[in-house]
């Protein structure tokens, strides 16, 4: 068990003090949208660092120093005070992040790189994010949903539903940015940050994180572009970059010139733009490539497309659906027999989930039934928590049934479970029950 921070951790008054400071920063940012803050680091005191520690996950993998959260918390007060002193004096050296790879897509060879900072670095990143977030939450547009407080993928999905139903479908511009997190330009990012933040302590820390480097297979390299995926500061910086390159540009320069209405909905680097007018959609599609190229970004033309999604085209099988945030969006009939926008688990995501579950069952088939049941239940509950939306019952049932099939298949490969029949397996399921599909997010359709 982690020790309690003396006079800070768990102290509601100290947390309230940090919240009050954040509100003060937010008020100044809202009242002065063009102001660049020159004095922010003084808000970061011991209570601020303690709150940052509280908000940092303790169960994550350790970084290159192999120091765990439990080990760091042994002398927590001293460690936090020392960290704060090094950060403000400029003596803090941002360590390289550990590069690991996780599965991406349905191919067993396709991997997504992520970075794992040290635990101490995670705390300092969180402390800086708590400052910057107070400012940028006043600037970010309403259509931006990724990695922001009180926003989620499901709120983005609901926004899409409302807009498409409002305009009767319209045209959907589905855009894919090629290797976004690896290609955003450091020089441009620094310039964007300095438009709002000129505090030397914070800008130097951001610069150190951009230069920190990546350790992979024992070797450290220093990419000239991009942010190492994995740290909370990277998520905020990537949002700032696209806010300037895409969001603000679209709202301030593009929307006033459009003939019809349009809505930009973005979650991190994934976004769609919904148009009421086809000519507007074509013009924006053509200018996006030039706009992104100016800031070192490129659009994947193979995955970018303009879809005629008007409700009047129902019956024409071509371009009647699009994928966003793991869901396929399509027209379907409601219980009241009217056409509404529906969502189901995308085929690619469903295939990926089924393959991953089968692989897990194979790798862990010799574990106890109770242990396997607990992990499979956790996987299914996590799946329902995201994909359990109104209209997606088939996708949930498919995941549930395929999980049972995978479990049955690999239990049958155990030496002591040879010739396991479905009848016997169903008896096992009665004792080790898996959670059945359920709708978590209920939307009126």
């Amino acid at each position: 068990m982690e020790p309690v921070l003396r006079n800070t951790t768990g102290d509601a008054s100290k947390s309230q003090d940090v919240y009050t400071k954040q509100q003060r920063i937010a008020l100044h940012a809202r009242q002065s949208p063009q102001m660049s803050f020159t004095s922010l680091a003084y808000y970061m005191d011991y209570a601020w660092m303690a709150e940052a520690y509280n908000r940092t996950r303790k169960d994550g993998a350790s970084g290159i120093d192999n120091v765990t959260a439990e080990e760091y918390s042994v002398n927590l007060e001293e460690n936090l005070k020392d960290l704060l002193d090094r950060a403000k004096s400029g003596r803090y050296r941002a360590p390289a992040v550990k590069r690991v790879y996780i599965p991406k897509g349905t191919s067993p060879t396709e991997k997504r790189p992520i970075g794992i900072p040290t635990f101490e670095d995670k705390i300092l990143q969180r402390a800086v994010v708590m400052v910057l977030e107070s400012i940028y939450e006043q600037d970010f547009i309403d259509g931006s949903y990724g990695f922001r407080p009180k926003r989620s993928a499901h709120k983005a999905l609901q926004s899409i539903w409302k807009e498409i139903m409002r305009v009767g479908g319209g045209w959907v511009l589905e855009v894919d940015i090629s290797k976004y997190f690896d290609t955003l330009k450091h020089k441009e990012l620094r310039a964007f940050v300095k438009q709002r933040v000129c505090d030397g302590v914070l800008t130097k820390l951001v610069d150190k994180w951009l230069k920190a480097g990546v350790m992979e297979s024992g070797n450290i390299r220093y990419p000239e572009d991009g942010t190492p995926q994995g740290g909370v500061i990277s998520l905020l910086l990537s949002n700032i970059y696209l806010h300037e390159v895409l969001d603000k540009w679209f709202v301030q320069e593009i929307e006033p010139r459009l003939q019809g209405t349009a809505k930009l909905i973005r979650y991190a680097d994934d976004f769609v733009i919904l148009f009421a007018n086809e000519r507007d959609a074509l013009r924006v599609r053509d200018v996006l490539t030039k706009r992104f190229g100016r800031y070192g970004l490129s659009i994947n033309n193979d995955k970018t497309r303009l879809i005629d999604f008007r409700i009047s085209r129902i019956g024409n099988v071509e371009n009647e659906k699009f994928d966003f945030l793991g869901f396929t969006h399509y027209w379907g009939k409601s219980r009241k027999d009217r056409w509404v926008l529906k969502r189901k688990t995308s085929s690619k995501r469903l295939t990926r989930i089924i393959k991953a579950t089968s692989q897990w069952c194979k790798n862990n088939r010799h574990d106890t039934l109770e242990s396997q049941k607990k992990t499979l239940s956790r996987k299914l509950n996590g799946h329902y928590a995201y994909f359990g939306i109104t209209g997606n019952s088939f996708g949930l049932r498919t995941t549930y049934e395929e999980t049972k099939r995978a479990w049955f298949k690999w239990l049958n490969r155990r030496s002591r479970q040879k010739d396991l029949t479905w009848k016997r397996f169903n008896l096992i399921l009665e004792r080790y029950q898996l959670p059945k599909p359920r709708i978590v997010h209920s939307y009126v359709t």
Side-chain angles (χ1 to χ4, degrees), residues 110-327:
E110 192 174 8
K111 302 289 184 178
R112 181 192 301 277
I114 63 169
I116 303 177
T118 63
F119 183 71
E120 182 177 67
D121 203 48
K122 291 177 184 177
I123 297 172
L124 186 55
Q125 286 191 27
R126 176 63 66 183
V128 172
V129 164
M130 286 162 54
V131 178
L132 299 183
E133 207 169 57
S134 302
I135 297 171
Y136 284 102
E137 277 303 305
Q138 317 314 311
D139 297 351
F140 289 157
I141 70 166
D142 184 59
S144 170
Y145 290 89
F147 309 113
R148 293 181 58 192
K150 299 181 180 180
R151 289 176 170 256
S152 67
H154 288 98
K155 289 187 177 181
L157 292 168
Q158 190 68 350
S159 179
I160 289 176
W161 191 91
K162 289 180 179 179
E163 183 65 15
I164 284 182
M165 292 300 297
R166 186 185 71 81
V167 301
W171 281 262
V172 179
L173 181 59
E174 184 182 9
V175 184
D176 182 83
I177 306 176
S178 298
K179 299 180 178 180
Y180 169 65
F181 289 96
D182 295 329
T183 56
L184 60 84
K185 300 295 183 181
H186 290 177
K187 180 180 178 181
E188 301 289 355
L189 178 57
R190 293 188 189 98
F192 290 151
V193 171
K194 286 186 177 181
Q195 289 179 17
R196 288 297 256 161
V197 179
C198 282
D199 182 286
V201 172
L202 298 187
T203 55
K204 286 178 182 177
L205 284 173
V206 168
D207 199 47
K208 288 178 180 180
W209 281 317
L210 291 176
K211 296 178 179 178
V214 176
M215 175 173 283
E216 185 174 355
S217 301
N219 299 315
I220 298 181
R221 61 184 184 86
Y222 300 91
E224 295 182 0
D225 300 319
T227 62
Q229 299 177 55
V232 291
I233 192 66
S234 296
L235 300 177
L236 178 58
L237 293 177
S238 64
N239 256 347
I240 292 172
Y241 201 85
L242 275 184
H243 169 72
E244 295 291 340
V245 174
L246 175 64
D247 303 352
K248 191 165 73 172
W249 167 76
F250 183 80
V251 171
Q252 295 182 356
E253 299 186 32
I254 298 301
E255 278 193 288
R257 294 179 170 86
L258 299 180
Q259 295 179 345
T261 61
K263 178 76 172 180
L264 167 65
I265 298 172
R266 180 174 67 82
Y267 190 92
D269 62 325
D270 294 325
F271 70 94
V272 294
I273 309 178
L274 314 176
F275 295 91
N277 182 284
E278 181 184 18
R279 185 182 177 189
D280 290 339
L282 290 170
R283 290 170 60 197
V284 173
R285 182 191 63 180
D286 293 340
V287 77
L288 262 180
T289 300
K290 294 180 180 179
R291 174 67 180 180
F292 278 19
R294 178 181 172 184
Y295 295 96
L297 304 178
S298 60
I299 291 177
N300 186 335
N301 292 322
D302 293 333
K303 296 182 179 180
T304 298
R305 59 194 186 121
L306 180 61
I307 305 153
D308 187 348
F309 202 67
R310 289 173 297 171
I311 196 170
S312 60
R313 294 189 72 252
I314 293 176
N316 184 340
V317 296
E318 184 180 2
N319 291 340
E320 280 192 346
K321 57 187 179 182
F322 66 94
D323 289 348
F324 187 62
L325 296 179
F327 289 92

Side-chain angles (χ1 to χ4, degrees), residues 413-438:
R413 301 296 195 275
R414 301 206 310 187
S415 58
R416 287 178 292 178
Q417 296 285 158
K418 292 288 186 180
D419 302 320
L420 176 67
T421 64
W422 272 101
K423 183 176 181 180
R424 288 176 57 199
F425 180 64
N426 285 329
L427 292 175
I428 292 175
L429 287 177
E430 289 182 8
R431 181 176 178 182
Y432 301 97
Q433 295 184 13
L434 296 176
K436 293 186 178 180
R438 67 182 186 280

Side-chain angles (χ1 to χ4, degrees), residues 64-86:
I64 63 171
D65 62 356
N66 294 319
V67 175
T68 65
E70 183 178 1
E71 292 169 337
Y72 191 84
S73 65
V74 173
N75 296 307
L76 186 54
E77 186 170 342
E78 293 179 13
N79 287 336
L80 290 181
K81 287 181 177 178
D82 179 63
L83 175 60
L84 178 61
D85 181 63
R86 284 182 286 133

